[in-house]
């Protein structure tokens, strides 16, 4: 009997959302790459606006979940 299950397919697909930051006092620029995406989406928010940053990351996570990608 074989107990090694390394070749067993996963039930769901896990993905990584990559985020790149360019920070300054006035503006923050973000580049976000979705697991299944080929292009990086770019966003600009006011520097130090943590509420806007948090809201954007929540939206990106929801978008990934809608695409069937489970964030790890």
């Amino acid at each position: 009997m074989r107990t090694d299950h390394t070749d067993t397919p996963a039930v769901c697909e896990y993905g990584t959302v990559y985020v790149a930051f360019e920070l300054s006092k006035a503006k923050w620029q973000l580049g976000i790459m979705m697991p299944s995406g080929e292009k990086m989406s770019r966003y600009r928010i006011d520097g130090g606006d943590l509420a806007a940053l948090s809201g954007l990351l929540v939206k990106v996570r929801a978008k990934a979940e809608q695409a069937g990608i489970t964030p790890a």
Side-chain angles (χ1 to χ4, degrees):
M1 178 197 273
R2 205 172 134 200
T3 59
D4 179 19
H5 299 288
T6 57
D7 60 346
T8 305
V11 174
C12 60
E13 180 181 342
Y14 288 97
T16 302
V17 175
Y18 294 96
V19 180
F21 292 91
E22 181 180 317
L23 307 174
S24 72
K25 288 183 180 181
K27 296 286 180 190
W28 288 358
Q29 295 189 43
L30 285 79
I32 298 178
M33 181 76 128
M34 300 296 286
S36 59
E38 294 181 15
K39 292 175 68 177
M40 182 175 12
S41 298
R42 297 178 186 194
Y43 302 90
R44 180 180 287 177
I45 59 176
D46 291 333
D49 190 353
L50 297 178
L53 174 62
S54 178
L56 178 62
L57 295 178
V58 166
K59 287 179 187 177
V60 167
R61 183 181 180 118
K63 185 177 178 181
E65 289 174 347
Q66 285 177 350
I69 306 297
T70 304

